[in-house]
Amino acid sequence: MLVERGSAVRRRAVIVLVLGAVLVLAAAGAVVSARWALGLDAVRGFLDRYPGAYPLPAGAPVGFPAWLAWQHFFNAFLMVLIIRSGLQVRREKRPRVFWSPRGRPKRRTSLTIWFHQALDVVWVVNGVAFVILLFATGQWMRIVPTSWDVLPNAASAVLQYVSLDWPTENGWVNYNSLQQLAYATTVFVAAPLAVATGLRLSTLWPRGDARLNRLFPWESARRLHVLVMLFFVVFIVTHVALVLATGALRNLNHMYAAEGSADPAAFADNWAGFWLFVLSLGVIVGACAAARPAVLVPVAQLFGTTTSR
């Protein structure tokens, strides 16, 4: 038995190493190809015409208000806990603690599922508030494409990123078109899909409604929910990596300290945003460590009853 397990581990290690080598070679090939393309006159002309971003509409706001900085942190806080608890739900075989609504002991679910769904509700409420504020303050113009020029400019930004000759970043004034498409997709496509599929998988879904169940099968919802989760993971990792790689102090001051300027070099030596970022990471890690039955049970009991196996 131990020999078989060891062989399986070695096979997985070999697969990981091979895939890693393939990805590294593919990335190196993409960089070389992109840098070669940048030497072509036609490509240089394309970049001159489409530098990676287009002007925002007249009246578009500049900078990030305090409410947006708070929303950015709180959304990240909730997303990390939601992804973590969602993975725990998938791994959980024999729950130790169950939760039931008051007066309905037969409708019990695991404490992990209750926590995941409770976080989902808070995330949805926070998301609705975010979208309302986004349109009420005009901040929507920064993340919603308002010109078809977004497409060639996004292609230009991709080429610049892949070539490692990255586009000039100053999110305080304007995102590049690739960022704009990524943020719009996250807010207006991925988030609603997460809500719809999460509702289908939750205990709130009317499982006795055969017609609804046929229209939106459980297995289809589960697969799509996992794909959306993977999208969020890739987005978060890529987003954080680029924030740190394209001017960490300036970018962190924008989003955590709500400080910025039209000059991309401004606030480059201000550490306020960095320390707020570090503090936010500490809060998120602390919340993940605290999210265990000893802490969750008293909270869950405020909304229902809990029982142990």
Side-chain angles (χ1 to χ4, degrees):
M1 188 64 153
L2 291 176
V3 174
E4 292 179 359
R5 187 174 299 173
S7 298
V9 170
R10 284 193 293 272
R11 283 197 299 273
R12 292 194 191 98
V14 170
I15 291 172
V16 170
L17 288 174
V18 171
L19 288 176
V22 169
L23 288 175
V24 170
L25 290 173
V31 172
V32 171
S33 299
R35 296 190 72 84
W36 170 81
L38 288 180
L40 301 176
D41 290 341
V43 175
R44 294 307 311 176
F46 175 77
L47 293 184
D48 290 339
R49 184 178 179 185
Y50 301 106
Y54 62 92
L56 294 179
V62 174
F64 303 106
W67 68 263
L68 190 55
W70 160 255
Q71 278 274 347
H72 184 265
F73 156 71
F74 193 47
N75 185 65
F77 173 84
L78 292 172
M79 283 301 303
V80 171
L81 287 176
I82 287 170
I83 292 171
R84 178 180 179 272
S85 60
L87 293 174
Q88 287 178 320
V89 169
R90 288 178 61 83
R91 292 195 304 264
E92 193 173 54
K93 302 300 182 184
R94 291 175 57 83
R96 291 184 299 157
V97 184
F98 295 88
W99 178 87
S100 302
R102 283 197 179 88
R104 307 181 73 178
K106 292 184 178 180
R107 289 199 61 181
R108 72 174 192 171
T109 187
S110 78
L111 181 67
T112 308
I113 292 177
W114 172 84
F115 181 53
H116 183 70
Q117 293 182 173
L119 289 169
D120 289 341
V121 171
V122 178
W123 183 68
V124 170
V125 172
N126 183 64
V128 170
F130 171 74
V131 172
I132 291 173
L133 288 170
L134 203 64
F135 283 95
T137 61
Q139 287 286 335
W140 67 271
M141 286 183 276
R142 292 166 55 83
I143 69 168
V144 176
T146 56
S147 168
W148 286 110
D149 283 350
V150 69
L151 297 177
N153 275 292
S156 172
V158 168
L159 183 59
Q160 293 175 67
Y161 277 124
V162 174
S163 70
L164 302 183
D165 185 15
W166 292 353
T168 302
E169 298 284 351
N170 189 12
W172 186 260
V173 176
N174 190 6
Y175 292 125
N176 69 53
S177 292
L178 184 61
Q179 290 174 308
Q180 191 178 57
L181 288 176
Y183 298 151
T185 300
T186 301
V187 174
F188 299 107
V189 179
L193 281 176
V195 173
T197 55
L199 176 62
R200 175 62 182 90
L201 300 174
S202 76
T203 55
L204 299 176
W205 184 263
R207 301 192 183 279
D209 193 319
R211 182 171 177 273
L212 276 179
N213 291 335
R214 283 196 304 272
L215 290 174
F216 199 1
W218 187 91
E219 185 60 27
S220 298
R222 186 188 68 82
R223 291 175 180 173
L224 185 54
H225 200 65
V226 171
L227 289 176
V228 173
M229 183 270 291
L230 292 175
F231 170 85
F232 278 120
V233 171
V234 171
F235 173 82
I236 291 170
V237 171
T238 305
H239 177 63
V240 173
L242 289 176
V243 163
L244 298 179
T246 59
L249 292 183
R250 183 187 68 245
N251 293 332
L252 293 175
N253 275 319
H254 290 347
M255 284 312 303
Y256 282 88
E259 296 180 352
S261 167
D263 179 7
F267 297 92
D269 58 350
N270 186 338
W271 289 77
F274 172 81
W275 291 118
L276 288 171
F277 172 66
V278 171
L279 177 62
S280 73
L281 290 181
V283 171
I284 292 172
V285 171
C288 289
R292 56 186 63 196
V295 176
L296 296 179
V297 166
V299 179
Q301 288 176 341
L302 297 174
F303 304 94
T305 59
T306 60
T307 55
S308 300
R309 181 180 292 278

